Amino acid sequence: MGTQPRLAFFTRSLGGGGAERVVVTLASHYAAQGHAVDLIVSRREDAYLKEVHPEVRIHYLHTKRRMLAAPRLAKALREIRPAALLATVNTFAAVLAQRLARTPTRVILREATTPSIAFQVKETSALERAISETAMRWLYPRADAVVAVSKGVAQDLLNLMPQLKPKLTVIYNPVIDAALYAKADAPVEHPWFQPNQPPVVLAAGRLVALKGYDTLLRAFARVRQQMPARLVILGEGAERPHLERLAAELGVAAEVDLPGFDPNPFRYMRRAGVFVLSSRYEGLPNVLIQAMACGCPVVSTDCPSGPSEILDGGRYGALVPVDDVAALAQAIVRALREPPLQPPQEWLCQYEVESVAKRYLEVMLTG
């Protein structure tokens, strides 16, 4: 087989999150194939640590500050000297580190959000937004390649930076593998998922404003007026107190549970009545693909970007306008009463780890 090129990955943490899960999946897949793999992480958060392949070497930069990450990452690149570095989330630091390190490492940036909307929605000042956008316009074209996780994200990047076109590739996320199906079969102790209980409306993701859980709670309160149901939101985050207060105000607190982050959401997806994505914006929401793979009916906002591509324009699940409480409630009730068409296996193939990893490897090593 010969010596495989050394590959490195850079992300913010191993805490719960879609981007972090993608990095762990790819790094572990390549390590299992015999590549020397290094995972460089800005700060220590270990939600996904157990899922990292034992052959992957983990390096912690021990910083929460983005600007400190670049010189520390440069030092790591000089020591490791990988053939390629794939960076997600903290992408600016990766381009700066490549300049500082002066090593021949190819730097590939993975863009998982729709930048024009992320700049508007993030709770930052106009000055911070302007700095971020300027940094992106300056740094992204200096990377060796940029991967967009959906066609929507790619189009948004080209609107901001038309000169990116020759370096830009769309690769969907590596979401589905044998481990997902095995985890989906694991038992669920939660009493609401036992037989002969009302159907569960399920959501999963960080408890932050962009996920639109406030809209989901309001929609769920309307669902409850029409039929018995329960709502479970898996995840942790700053919005928890606000969501708990809102559930109480809406009179549905007894039917709503926020059990926190669970590394295996798939077993809940296998047993839920419907999975709902209520996000205000996304890049390519993994949870929607995972729920479909687990055989769960899905409902999603038609947010930029990803859901429409994943659901084939609404063929495999209802798409509703962002923040439309009435439409979301109606779609949930309909999905519980008449589940939508399940996607065929060949539709799900485009999200399988094996095929996605091959495409990433081509971009990382050959450009």
Side-chain angles (χ1 to χ4, degrees), residues 88 110-122 129 132-133 136 140 147-161 206 210-211 277 279-285 302-309 322:
T88 192
R110 174 183 171 275
E111 184 51 65
T113 62
T114 310
S116 65
I117 295 168
F119 289 141
Q120 291 166 30
V121 176
K122 278 190 180 152
R129 282 201 299 273
S132 284
E133 196 167 326
M136 181 178 240
Y140 270 48
V147 172
V149 299
S150 67
K151 290 170 194 155
V153 168
Q155 192 50 60
D156 199 64
L157 284 169
L158 288 176
N159 293 345
L160 283 170
M161 299 163 281
R206 289 170 301 126
L210 76 90
K211 297 295 181 186
L277 185 95
S279 298
R280 297 186 162 108
Y281 72 94
E282 286 282 353
L284 186 85
D302 193 7
C303 71
S305 59
S308 180
E309 286 175 51
V322 172

Side-chain angles (χ1 to χ4, degrees), residues 112-315:
T113 62
T114 310
S116 65
I117 295 168
F119 289 141
Q120 291 166 30
V121 176
K122 278 190 180 152
E123 287 144 22
T124 50
S125 68
L127 177 64
E128 284 173 301
R129 282 201 299 273
I131 291 167
S132 284
E133 196 167 326
T134 304
M136 181 178 240
R137 285 178 195 270
W138 191 75
L139 292 168
Y140 270 48
R142 284 164 171 77
D144 292 288
V146 177
V147 172
V149 299
S150 67
K151 290 170 194 155
V153 168
Q155 192 50 60
D156 199 64
L157 284 169
L158 288 176
N159 293 345
L160 283 170
M161 299 163 281
Q163 73 273 36
L164 214 53
K165 192 161 192 176
K167 294 183 175 184
L168 189 61
T169 311
V170 175
I171 306 179
Y172 288 146
N173 288 339
V175 176
I176 302 170
D177 62 2
L180 180 146
Y181 294 115
K183 286 176 183 170
D185 289 334
V188 174
E189 295 75 38
H190 197 295
W192 292 357
F193 290 86
Q194 305 316 313
N196 307 316
Q197 294 291 316
V200 174
V201 177
L202 179 68
R206 289 170 301 126
L207 306 184
V208 291
L210 76 90
K211 297 295 181 186
Y213 294 136
D214 50 340
T215 301
L216 176 56
L217 277 170
R218 293 177 201 282
F220 176 71
R222 293 192 182 205
V223 170
R224 284 287 296 111
Q225 289 166 0
Q226 296 178 61
M227 64 194 296
R230 285 159 169 165
L231 172 65
V232 172
I233 304 175
L234 300 171
E236 204 42 84
E239 287 278 292
R240 175 182 282 277
H242 167 62
L243 296 172
E244 287 172 343
R245 266 198 314 275
L246 183 58
E249 282 165 24
L250 293 165
V252 292
E255 287 89 31
V256 173
D257 190 24
L258 307 175
F261 173 79
D262 192 304
N264 181 7
F266 317 123
R267 55 196 178 139
Y268 299 89
M269 292 168 175
R270 171 68 48 92
R271 294 162 177 84
V274 62
F275 181 87
V276 180
L277 185 95
S278 50
S279 298
R280 297 186 162 108
Y281 72 94
E282 286 282 353
L284 186 85
N286 291 347
V287 284
L288 204 53
I289 302 161
Q290 289 158 345
M292 286 163 67
C294 292
C296 188
V298 295
V299 165
S300 176
T301 55
D302 193 7
C303 71
S305 59
S308 180
E309 286 175 51
I310 293 167
L311 301 181
D312 197 16
R315 179 187 290 192

